[in-house]
Amino acid sequence: MRHWLLSLGALLTSGGSTTAAFCRCQPSQPCWPSEANWVSLNSSVEGNLIAVKPFGYPCHDPNFNDAECTIVKENTYSSSYRSSQPGALQWENWESWPEEEEQCYVETDQSTPCKQGRISLFSVIAQTAEHIQAAVKFAAHHNIKLVIKNTGHDFLGRSSAPHSLQILTHGFKNISVADEFVPRTPAGTATSEKIKAVTLGAGVQLREMYAYLGSKGVMVVGGASNTVGVAGGYVQGGGHSYLGWMHGMASDNVLEFQVVLADGSLVFANAYQNTDLFFALRGGGGGSFGVVVSVTVKAYPDYPVVYTMTNYSTTAAEPFWNGVDAFQKHIVRLNDNGGSGWYGIIPDSSSATPGVSTFLAVQVFVNQTNTKSIGELMSPVISDLKNATGIAPLHGIVAFPSMSSMYLALFSGNDTTGLQTRLASRLVSRSFFESGNSTQLTKGLKGLSFGPEEAVVGVVTGGQVSRNRDIKSGLNPAWRDTMVHVIIVRFMSADMTFEEQEAVASNITEHDVPMLRSLEPGKMGAYGNEADADEVNFQESFWGENYPRLRGIKKRRDPGDLFIVRKGVGSESWDDSGLCRVS
Ligand SMILES: Cc1cc2nc3c(=O)[nH]c(=O)nc-3n(C[C@H](O)[C@H](O)[C@H](O)COP(=O)(O)OP(=O)(O)OC[C@H]3O[C@@H](n4cnc5c(N)ncnc54)[C@H](O)[C@@H]3O)c2cc1C
Ligand SMILES: *[C@@H]1O[C@H](CO)[C@@H](O)[C@H](O)[C@H]1NC(C)=O
Ligand SMILES: *[C@@H]1O[C@H](CO)[C@@H](O)[C@H](O)[C@H]1NC(C)=O
Ligand SMILES: *[C@@H]1O[C@H](CO)[C@@H](O)[C@H](O)[C@H]1NC(C)=O
Ligand SMILES: *[C@@H]1O[C@H](CO)[C@@H](O)[C@H](O)[C@H]1NC(C)=O
Ligand SMILES: *[C@@H]1O[C@H](CO)[C@@H](O)[C@H](O)[C@H]1NC(C)=O
Ligand SMILES: *[C@@H]1O[C@H](CO)[C@@H](O)[C@H](O)[C@H]1NC(C)=O
Ligand SMILES: *[C@@H]1O[C@H](CO)[C@@H](O)[C@H](O)[C@H]1NC(C)=O
Ligand SMILES: *[C@@H]1O[C@H](CO)[C@@H](O)[C@H](O)[C@H]1NC(C)=O
């Protein structure tokens, strides 16, 4: 137990505090597993252990490899490729480790050395729950930093950490539909609950799920993307959806998780057993309580849906923002009539001579078929936009026979990723919009400056998301009062220095988020999956009054803090890389 001796040494030199200098074992230290230890882990995971190199590795000297570098370059912006690669994340900035000036960007010069950054050193490409159990036990025993990577979409850097062992859940592709799902009850008890449900392996991604569900005529509450994973960060963080207005958050719809805990055990968590974990995994955030092997969620019919798209583009700033303001005044009315979805504001304020700014809104009406009545609902929106902007917006209404056909038409298979991005966000309440205060939001956004492609996205929720107030789960309670989840999307790039990247990040924390918070001071919160990666007081922002309970569950279920992710439950006790305790 060399790591124990090491921490004892730290204890003696730090003058008695047991936690102050406790760190995960580093590769340079004697506590690091020996070659024989790794071989032994490899055999317990049936040869599925690999040593990981960063995505851009073959593009840099002295290991430059023309053929391999070409493949990497061709797939730089492919989210499906990045999902499958242990050495890649979706957002390049989380592959690098600015504190140590380590990066391995595909875009930088061949002569720039490739450094490991936050990419894990080893990965278990898990195929079975036993492989996950073996990896968890190994990391706990050797005091190694553990990372769970599913697709790597996380915006806050939760699916990477330096000097870590990764569990890659990408291979868990099983999907099944049960007409009469019965949650597993503890021995000696019974339930009469039988419900139509879908069980999804940890690695199932959205587009492949929609394709499968479409073939079965069922639908679940899922996100709007090609390659985000359903059972990982999405559902554990809450999960907003086009189906949310009808059936609530994704986490509201979970019936059961199968999960590997910090002690290596494999358990079921549902309304009948391990109810504390069931509470925590429904909205308490991915990567903080265990490794989910599969999730079972409620199944619904593959509803018909009416999809509307409205947009305009202009080079004139005043009319552009007047249009944004006019649209926002219709959100509550549309929502009360079944409309949810999102809107995008893409202002061009990047140059002295203004370029084209674009506004677009997608409103979906689930379980509706009548395009004429939806057209009537939308008609005041169109005329107000026209009056406000002086231009006739483009507008389209399409009736899809099923949600799956809508998703498959909208999503091609890849999301555009491989960029460097940071977000600012805030959940904004229905009462804010109802009281006519949305003009303050418009003004606040108008006062920010936006670089090329930078944008604001408003995700409109409401409906059943609000009505599910009584569901007891780890989800941020602020969701129940939310009308719009406002996200400001900012970009950085590989040709910036780490200092320049940090300037973009700190602008978000110092300007963007404070502006959004000022709309409803002391109220609401933010969605932890799509938020500032340096969110101030993240515990309150992401979980509100649920935080103390989540923290308690975390302490009981993971006393050794094996599962620590950036801005996750319990992460305040660790440094930003999850390598050393700070309290
Ligand atoms: C293009 C795009 C579209 C999006 N659309 C939506 C949307 O419509 N609705 C919405 O709510 N969100 C959306 N998101 C946000 C998305 O929910 C988060 O990025 C989410 O964290 C992704 O989860 P993942 O498992 O795919 O990613 P990862 O980055 O692999 O994992 C995210 C977190 O979950 C943990 N985790 C992953 N798998 C497991 C597991 N099996 N057990 C335990 N922990 C695990 C990881 O450790 C990490 O902490 C979108 C994001 C992107 C990039
Ligand atoms: C694990 O074993 C497999 C199969 O024998 C081998 O291909 C792989 O290189 C091993 N992994 C490591 C890290 O040595
Ligand atoms: C996936 O399903 C197959 C067939 O039902 C089963 O044999 C296998 O164990 C499942 N895999 C996982 C990881 O659950
Ligand atoms: C969907 O619409 C059908 C037909 O109008 C109706 O019978 C059904 O109750 C609706 N479902 C929901 C969940 O509203
Ligand atoms: C048209 O817009 C102007 C301001 O741009 C506003 O004063 C007026 O009330 C609007 N008219 C209608 C019919 O909405
Ligand atoms: C604007 O809407 C029209 C009609 O629906 C559509 O054809 C076009 O692609 C949209 N433009 C943008 C930028 O979304
Ligand atoms: C995603 O894009 C890559 C190229 O960037 C391509 O090879 C791959 O086939 C695409 N995948 C899907 C599912 O469309
Ligand atoms: C609307 O704004 C006014 C002025 O800032 C404020 O007093 C009021 O509380 C706000 N109402 C809501 C519901 O946010
Ligand atoms: C920070 O924000 C200010 C004000 O919006 C802007 O002028 C400046 O360019 C931003 N800096 C960076 C590095 O993004």
Side-chain angles (χ1 to χ4, degrees):
M1 290 287 96
R2 283 166 123 172
H3 68 266
W4 183 82
L5 283 176
L6 265 186
S7 52
L8 182 67
L11 170 80
L12 295 175
T13 51
S14 73
S17 158
T18 33
T19 52
F22 181 84
C23 292
R24 295 295 173 212
C25 186
Q26 303 299 296
S28 56
Q29 296 176 327
C31 54
W32 192 252
S34 66
E35 187 58 33
N37 294 146
W38 289 111
V39 168
S40 154
L41 173 61
N42 200 3
S43 87
S44 23
V45 299
E46 301 174 280
N48 287 293
L49 179 74
I50 64 154
V52 186
K53 293 286 176 234
F55 187 66
Y57 180 80
C59 299
H60 296 276
D61 292 333
N63 304 98
F64 181 82
N65 177 316
D66 203 6
E68 287 177 28
C69 177
T70 300
I71 295 174
V72 162
K73 285 196 165 156
E74 278 171 5
N75 286 288
T76 294
Y77 306 113
S78 163
S79 68
S80 55
Y81 189 79
R82 283 181 174 268
S83 298
S84 65
Q85 300 299 306
L89 293 160
Q90 302 294 344
W91 308 114
E92 203 183 37
N93 41 307
W94 295 115
E95 295 174 359
S96 66
W97 191 12
E99 292 88 333
E100 300 293 323
E101 308 230 319
E102 289 192 17
Q103 52 99 341
C104 185
Y105 299 139
V106 179
E107 300 95 322
T108 48
D109 205 72
Q110 185 181 328
S111 62
T112 311
C114 171
K115 304 263 182 69
Q116 193 80 12
R118 290 173 60 94
I119 296 297
S120 299
L121 293 167
F122 289 90
S123 176
V124 169
I125 320 277
Q127 312 295 332
T128 66
E130 289 75 22
H131 296 166
I132 294 177
Q133 291 175 284
V136 163
K137 286 179 188 160
F138 184 88
H141 180 77
H142 292 282
N143 186 31
I144 307 283
K145 172 68 191 157
L146 188 67
V147 157
I148 310 163
K149 185 205 162 193
N150 183 18
T151 68
H153 272 288
D154 197 90
F155 285 108
L156 285 85
R158 300 184 178 110
S159 34
S160 66
H163 300 168
S164 58
L165 167 63
Q166 175 190 83
I167 296 173
L168 186 71
T169 58
H170 183 73
F172 288 71
K173 295 293 189 187
N174 279 2
I175 313 181
S176 59
V177 179
D179 287 329
E180 297 191 330
F181 175 80
V182 183
R184 272 81 165 186
T185 54
T189 61
T191 170
S192 56
E193 192 180 350
K194 285 184 187 146
I195 182 159
K196 188 153 185 166
V198 176
T199 297
L200 300 155
V204 174
Q205 291 169 277
L206 285 167
R207 193 178 193 277
E208 59 201 15
M209 177 183 83
Y210 292 130
Y212 180 87
L213 295 183
S215 76
K216 303 288 174 191
V218 299
M219 187 41 60
V220 304
V221 177
S225 138
N226 291 282
T227 54
V228 161
V230 197
Y234 173 78
V235 76
Q236 293 173 57
H240 58 77
S241 168
Y242 285 151
L243 195 48
W245 189 90
M246 188 73 101
H247 292 301
M249 297 294 284
S251 60
D252 293 345
N253 286 279
V254 177
L255 297 168
E256 183 169 279
F257 289 98
Q258 189 178 22
V259 53
V260 174
L261 304 182
D263 63 6
S265 60
L266 176 65
V267 303
F268 288 102
N270 56 34
Y272 305 89
Q273 58 176 319
N274 295 307
T275 52
D276 59 336
L277 281 169
F278 190 52
F279 176 92
L281 290 168
R282 293 205 294 167
S288 299
F289 300 95
V291 189
V292 167
V293 176
S294 67
V295 64
T296 303
V297 297
K298 284 182 190 165
Y300 297 105
D302 194 1
Y303 299 111
V305 57
V306 173
Y307 175 94
T308 74
M309 143 74 90
T310 310
N311 64 63
Y312 63 85
S313 294
T314 172
T315 54
E318 280 306 313
F320 176 74
W321 288 103
N322 288 344
V324 171
D325 202 45
F327 177 80
Q328 289 184 147
K329 293 204 163 104
H330 283 280
I331 289 175
V332 172
R333 182 184 64 87
L334 291 175
N335 196 256
D336 286 343
N337 288 283
S340 66
W342 60 276
Y343 56 103
I345 303 166
I346 314 162
D348 188 326
S349 55
S350 55
S351 52
T353 43
V356 177
S357 297
T358 298
F359 172 85
L360 64 165
V362 166
Q363 290 274 302
V364 299
F365 297 81
V366 175
N367 202 25
Q368 308 241 11
T369 52
N370 190 334
T371 51
K372 190 163 168 285
S373 65
I374 301 300
E376 282 159 14
L377 266 177
M378 293 301 293
S379 141
V381 181
I382 309 301
S383 57
D384 282 2
L385 285 178
K386 193 172 172 189
N387 181 41
T389 62
I391 35 180
L394 296 174
H395 181 58
I397 304 186
V398 189
F400 286 98
S402 60
M403 289 193 79
S404 62
S405 61
M406 175 192 72
Y407 282 123
L408 296 177
L410 296 180
F411 296 106
S412 65
N414 278 324
D415 302 307
T416 302
T417 61
L419 309 167
Q420 302 207 6
T421 188
R422 302 276 283 221
L423 311 177
S425 79
R426 201 72 187 161
L427 300 171
V428 181
S429 76
R430 178 182 169 110
S431 56
F432 176 86
F433 281 88
E434 264 180 337
S435 66
N437 279 2
S438 55
T439 300
Q440 293 174 23
L441 172 59
T442 315
K443 281 189 184 144
L445 295 172
K446 192 180 167 191
L448 302 174
S449 72
F450 293 87
E453 319 266 322
E454 290 189 337
V456 181
V457 176
V459 177
V460 182
T461 57
Q464 196 62 34
V465 171
S466 303
R467 286 192 290 274
N468 278 348
R469 194 174 294 275
D470 291 338
I471 291 181
K472 296 282 170 265
S473 75
L475 182 77
N476 191 344
W479 272 113
R480 306 306 179 193
D481 296 320
T482 298
M483 182 86 297
V484 181
H485 158 40
V486 178
I487 312 165
I488 299 169
V489 183
R490 302 254 179 228
F491 292 104
M492 313 182 300
S493 67
D495 58 18
M496 288 179 169
T497 64
F498 283 125
E499 288 72 29
E500 288 166 338
Q501 292 178 351
E502 182 49 36
V504 175
S506 57
N507 242 8
I508 288 173
T509 310
E510 283 158 25
H511 298 293
D512 296 348
V513 177
M515 184 282 286
L516 294 173
R517 282 180 188 242
S518 75
L519 299 171
E520 299 184 89
K523 289 189 207 147
M524 303 301 286
Y527 179 33
N529 276 350
E530 294 169 322
D532 179 8
D534 292 322
E535 180 80 18
V536 175
N537 197 2
F538 71 91
Q539 301 96 319
E540 170 76 22
S541 283
F542 298 164
W543 292 288
E545 66 194 37
N546 274 338
Y547 194 76
R549 183 164 171 194
L550 289 166
R551 189 73 185 89
I553 296 169
K554 169 86 183 159
K555 278 192 174 137
R556 278 195 309 281
R557 293 298 193 153
D558 182 18
D561 276 357
L562 190 64
F563 301 114
I564 291 291
V565 294
R566 288 191 80 260
K567 309 296 170 204
V569 172
S571 64
E572 66 271 23
S573 301
W574 290 81
D575 65 17
D576 199 61
S577 308
L579 290 176
C580 289
R581 275 189 186 278
V582 293
S583 67

